[in-house]
């Protein structure tokens, strides 16, 4: 197996273990068992559970950014284009780590710090100077709420999908209204 594939296998296993066991009960041994690799293999890539989960966070947020950049090219030009691409990407990536995983992870200062770093980077990315800053703040807070709301963790996939669709439309409408030029 190629090193990149092994690393991805370990990250996928970590996501599954944390989703099933919770952040605090997840162990390196459980990740090894899920990935069906030796403990030495895991510790070759990640010395601690936190190192592994930092890599999970990195992968998750990098995927959101990559998807947003690709979506950006498909949207009509205009104010709020990157913010809309980011919102759509966020909705697309609401798979694990999802609400349950991230809630526990955010209690750890090191992991919370990494999430905050990404949130700041994402915030800077979506500001285009045309969308009022409060609109960008509100939409990014909505994204954060998507995966930190315990209520959503209890919703069925169909309910979550419907909720996300409605909220995405509302956010797009808010962005458009914030930059609309009044008729003269």
């Amino acid at each position: 197996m190629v090193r990149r594939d092994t690393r991805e296998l370990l990250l996928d296993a970590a996501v599954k273990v944390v989703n099933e066991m919770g952040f605090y009960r997840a162990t390196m041994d459980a990740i090894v068992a899920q990935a069906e690799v030796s403990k030495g293999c895991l510790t070759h890539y990640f010395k601690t559970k936190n190192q592994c989960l930092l890599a999970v966070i990195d992968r998750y947020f990098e995927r959101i950014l990559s998807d947003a950049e690709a979506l950006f090219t498909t949207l009509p030009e205009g104010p709020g284009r990157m913010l809309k691409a980011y919102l759509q990407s966020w909705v697309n990536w609401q798979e694990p780590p999802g609400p349950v995983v991230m809630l526990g992870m955010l209690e750890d200062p090191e992991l919370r710090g990494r999430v905050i770093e990404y949130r700041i980077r994402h915030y800077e990315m979506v500001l285009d100077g045309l969308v009022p800053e409060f609109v960008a703040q509100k939409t990014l807070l909505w994204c954060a709420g998507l995966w930190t709301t315990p209520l959503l963790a209890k919703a069925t996939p169909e309910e979550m999908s419907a909720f996300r669709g409605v909220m995405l439309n509302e956010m797009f409408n808010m962005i458009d209204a914030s930059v609309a030029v009044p008729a003269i």
Side-chain angles (χ1 to χ4, degrees), residues 76-84 126-136 139 171-183:
E77 289 192 30
R81 184 177 175 196
M82 188 51 155
L83 183 55
K84 289 178 182 179
V126 300
L127 291 177
D128 61 12
L130 301 172
V131 174
E133 193 167 347
F134 80 90
V135 173
T139 54
M171 292 292 116
F172 276 25
N173 290 337
M174 182 184 67
I175 292 165
D176 290 340
S178 75
V179 296
V181 178

Side-chain angles (χ1 to χ4, degrees), residues 53-117:
L53 296 178
L54 284 168
V56 167
I57 291 169
D58 290 344
R59 181 176 74 164
Y60 181 66
F61 282 107
E62 290 301 327
R63 285 177 174 175
I64 290 171
L65 287 175
S66 176
D67 191 40
E69 289 168 356
L71 286 166
F72 177 80
T73 63
T74 67
L75 293 173
E77 289 192 30
R81 184 177 175 196
M82 188 51 155
L83 183 55
K84 289 178 182 179
Y86 179 78
L87 286 171
Q88 182 63 59
S89 174
W90 195 263
V91 168
N92 292 350
W93 283 100
Q94 289 309 303
E95 297 300 321
V100 175
V101 173
M102 296 306 273
L103 283 174
M105 289 171 68
L106 290 176
E107 292 179 25
D108 181 278
E110 183 180 22
L111 300 176
R112 183 177 54 246
R114 182 65 59 91
V115 170
I116 290 169
E117 288 172 23

Side-chain angles (χ1 to χ4, degrees), residues 3-15 28-29 31-32 35 37-59 114:
R3 283 182 174 220
R4 180 76 180 150
D5 293 339
T6 302
R7 187 175 189 279
E8 291 300 310
L9 172 74
L10 292 167
L11 294 178
D12 291 341
V15 168
M28 297 285 276
D29 289 333
I31 295 169
V32 165
V37 298
S38 69
K39 191 156 189 179
C41 178
L42 177 61
T43 58
H44 171 75
Y45 291 95
F46 311 107
K47 302 293 182 229
T48 66
K49 179 174 86 170
N50 269 21
Q51 282 183 351
C52 184
L53 296 178
L54 284 168
V56 167
I57 291 169
D58 290 344
R59 181 176 74 164
R114 182 65 59 91

Side-chain angles (χ1 to χ4, degrees), residues 118-139:
Y118 275 105
R119 300 300 291 160
I120 291 169
R121 187 169 146 205
H122 291 191
Y123 180 67
E124 291 169 348
M125 179 187 80
V126 300
L127 291 177
D128 61 12
L130 301 172
V131 174
E133 193 167 347
F134 80 90
V135 173
Q137 290 171 352
K138 186 174 181 178
T139 54

Side-chain angles (χ1 to χ4, degrees), residues 140-174:
L140 293 179
L141 284 172
W142 174 75
C143 289
L146 253 185
W147 51 269
T148 57
T149 304
L151 175 65
L152 290 179
K154 296 175 184 175
T156 67
E158 294 79 20
E159 291 169 332
M160 290 176 77
S161 179
F163 171 77
R164 288 182 186 128
V166 168
M167 290 306 296
L168 188 64
N169 285 335
E170 286 185 22
M171 292 292 116
F172 276 25
N173 290 337
M174 182 184 67

